[in-house]
Amino acid sequence: MKDYAYEVWDNCLKIIKDNIHYQSYKTWFVPIKPLKLKDHILTIQVPSQFFYEWLEEHYINLLKKTIKKELGPEGRLEYSIIMDNSFNNTNPYSIKVPTANKKALGNPPVQMPIDINKGASKDIPNPFVIPGLKKIKVNSQLVDSYSFENFIEGDCNRLARSAGYAVSENPGKTSFNPLLIYSDVGLGKTHLAHAIGIQAKNNFPDKTVLYVTTEQFIAQYIDSVRNNNQNDFVHFYQMIDVLIMDDIQFLSGKEKTQDVFFHIFNQLHQNYKQIILTSDKPPVEMKGLEPRLLSRFKWGLAADLQQPDLETRIAILQKTLYNDGIEMPEEVIEYIAYNVNTNVRELEGALISILAQSSLNKKAITLELAKKMIDKFVKNTAREISIDYIQKIVCDYFDLTLDTINSKTRKREIVQARQLSMYFAKKHTKASLATIGLHCGNKDHATVLHACRTINNLVETDKQFRIYVEELDKKIKM
Ligand code: ADP
Ligand code: MG
């Protein structure tokens, strides 16, 4: 029976793969396991409640059609969700969730219990509050410009962004509690964390939202110890409805602070208050944190932010320019986006230095100026050649557009341009074959391998071709 389930699900996957973006396929469908098939009902196992909700929200129609196609009009789908919501729970327990059945649509039956009477704020004197005010007034410390509106969406941040948005619509009442956002520096953790806070505040003006950096939290705690008012410190934090704590990796090694944070965390969590954390690493890689704290970080959802792709980088630059009311030639924007691919902070840094140069020297913003500035900028930050950049050079060289070389066409010169991009990407970047394939027309690793072999053969046998390759190589390294 199980084998049959596998077979059917495999067929479904083939259809699904053809209908959605590869990245989405990888994120949302590859982790699914078919469990059984009985009476036209296929049961699939999904890793979390969030996963299930996401599938229902975004892929219900596709799933429905696919299932009917494979199993006939009777066909139905049931989910089995691995619940990872409790400490030390090694046995995932399953819940049957019917779908492809109108009643269940958009109405997830697995609900978190919600007690609305809990967690009402009490009048507790504390030093963090302006005295004399009845209702606690807390300075949220939110930065207006770090809004959702200014946060460009891309494949690199889709999961974290949507989870964040969901949290702001329903703080404390989704299964993403805590919501942990992690990434390397400069990829938007702080921005996204603020955005969630701002949106939650807009949606629920009566809720107390607080953004705090972990350094601030530690300093406040140390102060409270010094002033002997630790209880007030704890009470203050326990009154927050949406607590955002940025860069929790700084808790590492601070045992006392971890202790007190542990208690605050528990109290908030029990009372269905929302906790949003950011960190430079996923929980499994965090060092110097107590296991009991780490285990709690895994209760909700950990979502990462990746390096933005070229399109997203261009969109971010355009948004920044638009917000500042500055115009800049398209080619300059593209040049910056092609060449600065480390992180968003550096992208913005490069933009600012070009703007500064142009206004200091009263020079127009031209490609020349951008090239000069970027060269300096990129040298300072040890530029890495990117796949995007290679594709750009290859396209310019053969006078093709990016869309053409990544399209499905089998025209010889276009296939060759694509193969050259793959070959140079293999040569000059550390990207895996799979990643290169993904960037170059959504091909698999075997195609990339084949491309590299083909180019190597041609270089050895065709003199004219070798000259092309050498010229291109020079341009790429320039
Ligand atoms: P982190 O906290 O991960 O180090 P930040 O949130 O400080 O990163 O982001 C660095 C800069 O990049 C900020 O100015 C932020 O506004 C900007 N930024 C990051 N991601 C995006 C995005 N997706 N859209 C727009 N701006 C972004
Ligand atoms: Mg930050």
Side-chain angles (χ1 to χ4, degrees):
M1 247 341 169
K2 202 171 172 198
D3 291 347
Y4 189 35
Y6 264 93
E7 202 182 308
V8 168
W9 181 240
D10 221 42
N11 290 338
C12 293
L13 283 181
K14 280 182 195 133
I15 302 175
I16 292 166
K17 198 172 174 182
D18 278 344
N19 279 286
I20 61 175
H21 196 278
Y22 180 70
Q23 194 60 39
S24 313
Y25 172 78
K26 235 175 68 183
T27 311
W28 299 109
F29 291 93
V30 171
I32 295 175
K33 280 202 195 105
L35 288 183
K36 64 172 184 205
L37 179 66
K38 207 176 161 213
D39 303 331
H40 299 284
I41 301 171
L42 176 67
T43 308
I44 57 172
Q45 186 182 60
V46 296
S48 66
Q49 168 76 14
F50 177 64
F51 226 89
Y52 155 71
E53 285 171 16
W54 184 279
L55 289 171
E56 282 282 289
E57 198 178 324
H58 294 86
Y59 300 110
I60 183 67
N61 285 330
L62 177 62
L63 276 169
K64 230 175 172 176
K65 275 192 202 139
T66 311
I67 288 292
K68 303 260 172 208
K69 195 158 173 200
E70 285 305 309
L71 294 176
E74 306 269 271
R76 295 221 348 233
L77 190 63
E78 277 185 5
Y79 295 91
S80 157
I81 302 171
I82 301 178
M83 300 298 278
D84 188 20
N85 254 13
S86 60
F87 191 29
N88 273 347
N89 182 358
T90 43
N91 296 337
Y93 85 83
S94 302
I95 294 174
K96 280 183 185 166
V97 181
T99 189
N101 143 354
K102 273 215 176 97
K103 260 192 179 159
L105 267 188
N107 182 15
V110 197
Q111 290 281 4
M112 303 283 293
I114 293 159
D115 182 348
I116 40 171
N117 294 321
K118 275 196 182 166
S121 52
K122 298 181 196 100
D123 275 337
I124 299 162
N126 80 76
F128 302 91
V129 172
I130 306 156
L133 285 173
K134 257 231 166 113
K135 183 150 176 40
I136 42 162
K137 257 253 173 323
V138 172
N139 175 1
S140 289
Q141 307 204 85
L142 293 165
V143 176
D144 289 344
S145 62
Y146 281 166
S147 60
F148 268 116
E149 169 156 84
N150 287 337
F151 192 78
I152 303 289
E153 181 174 357
D155 283 345
C156 55
N157 59 36
R158 192 155 285 129
L159 172 63
R161 191 186 177 284
S162 355
Y165 197 81
V167 159
S168 70
E169 295 281 297
N170 232 339
K173 295 180 183 168
T174 66
S175 41
F176 329 136
N177 200 15
L179 173 63
L180 174 72
I181 304 163
Y182 65 93
S183 77
D184 288 339
V185 292
L187 293 175
K189 296 182 293 293
T190 298
H191 186 146
L192 183 57
H194 277 272
I196 300 166
I198 294 169
Q199 189 73 12
K201 191 92 200 123
N202 284 345
N203 289 337
F204 305 93
D206 288 341
K207 282 201 194 291
T208 309
V209 179
L210 178 70
Y211 167 89
V212 65
T213 64
T214 300
E215 287 113 314
Q216 272 176 336
F217 184 88
I218 296 169
Q220 285 170 358
Y221 174 64
I222 293 175
D223 266 358
S224 78
V225 174
R226 192 175 299 137
N227 300 326
N228 209 8
N229 58 4
Q230 293 163 63
N231 282 346
D232 293 337
F233 171 83
V234 171
H235 283 144
F236 169 74
Y237 274 95
Q238 287 175 348
M239 281 190 289
I240 306 296
D241 296 307
V242 178
L243 175 64
I244 304 166
M245 201 152 131
D246 205 359
D247 289 320
I248 52 160
Q249 71 272 14
F250 293 128
L251 283 178
S252 166
K254 308 259 185 325
E255 281 162 30
K256 285 268 156 53
T257 320
Q258 284 182 39
D259 241 26
V260 77
F261 180 63
F262 180 76
H263 290 294
I264 292 170
F265 183 105
N266 285 344
Q267 187 74 20
L268 292 177
H269 198 274
Q270 267 166 30
N271 289 312
Y272 302 98
K273 303 302 178 68
Q274 180 69 45
I275 301 154
I276 297 146
L277 307 168
T278 80
S279 157
D280 65 349
K281 285 185 201 66
V284 282
E285 288 171 25
M286 287 181 197
K287 300 237 161 66
L289 288 182
E290 289 179 40
R292 57 178 189 168
L293 206 48
L294 280 179
S295 84
R296 267 143 183 83
F297 294 165
K298 294 176 194 156
W299 278 1
L301 176 78
D304 68 334
L305 300 172
Q306 299 273 339
Q307 287 187 359
D309 58 17
L310 179 67
E311 270 170 39
T312 313
R313 297 202 294 275
I314 292 178
I316 290 173
L317 289 174
Q318 281 168 338
K319 180 87 192 171
T320 311
L321 289 167
Y322 178 83
N323 282 351
D324 294 344
I326 298 165
E327 282 187 21
M328 192 179 265
E330 202 63 25
E331 55 176 7
V332 177
I333 299 179
E334 282 178 14
Y335 188 82
I336 303 172
Y338 273 117
N339 286 282
V340 184
N341 52 22
T342 41
N343 67 49
V344 184
R345 192 171 296 155
E346 290 196 348
L347 191 65
E348 291 181 337
L351 182 68
I352 290 166
S353 34
I354 290 169
L355 292 173
Q357 263 304 311
S358 124
S359 79
L360 276 176
N361 301 332
K362 303 204 165 48
K363 278 189 194 151
I365 302 167
T366 59
L367 193 56
E368 276 333 289
L369 177 72
K371 278 188 177 155
K372 250 210 222 129
M373 291 303 302
I374 294 284
D375 277 356
K376 267 195 226 156
F377 194 85
V378 169
K379 269 193 203 108
N380 281 337
T381 55
R383 162 176 167 223
E384 271 185 37
I385 298 173
S386 69
I387 304 176
D388 293 331
Y389 180 74
I390 290 170
Q391 284 188 316
K392 161 95 175 138
I393 300 273
V394 172
C395 284
D396 286 354
Y397 190 80
F398 292 109
D399 207 12
L400 298 166
T401 68
L402 201 60
D403 286 343
T404 332
I405 77 160
N406 287 337
S407 70
K408 285 217 159 83
T409 175
R410 291 181 191 277
K411 267 201 198 139
R412 190 160 170 265
E413 71 260 30
I414 293 167
V415 172
Q416 215 156 61
R418 187 160 62 225
Q419 289 180 328
L420 278 165
S421 304
M422 293 173 172
Y423 165 85
F424 285 119
K426 182 71 204 136
K427 185 167 171 195
H428 291 298
T429 74
K430 291 192 202 94
S432 67
L433 293 173
T435 308
I436 294 172
L438 197 63
H439 275 75
C440 301
N442 207 357
K443 305 287 185 212
D444 61 15
H445 78 281
T447 311
V448 180
L449 205 57
H450 174 70
C452 294
R453 288 201 186 115
T454 309
I455 301 295
N456 276 324
N457 281 340
L458 281 170
V459 167
E460 275 169 28
T461 52
D462 182 336
K463 207 167 154 204
Q464 183 54 44
F465 192 81
R466 182 160 68 231
I467 294 170
Y468 284 155
V469 172
E470 280 165 5
E471 267 183 30
L472 270 167
D473 203 46
K474 251 191 233 148
K475 279 186 198 291
I476 291 168
K477 284 192 290 201
M478 219 155 48

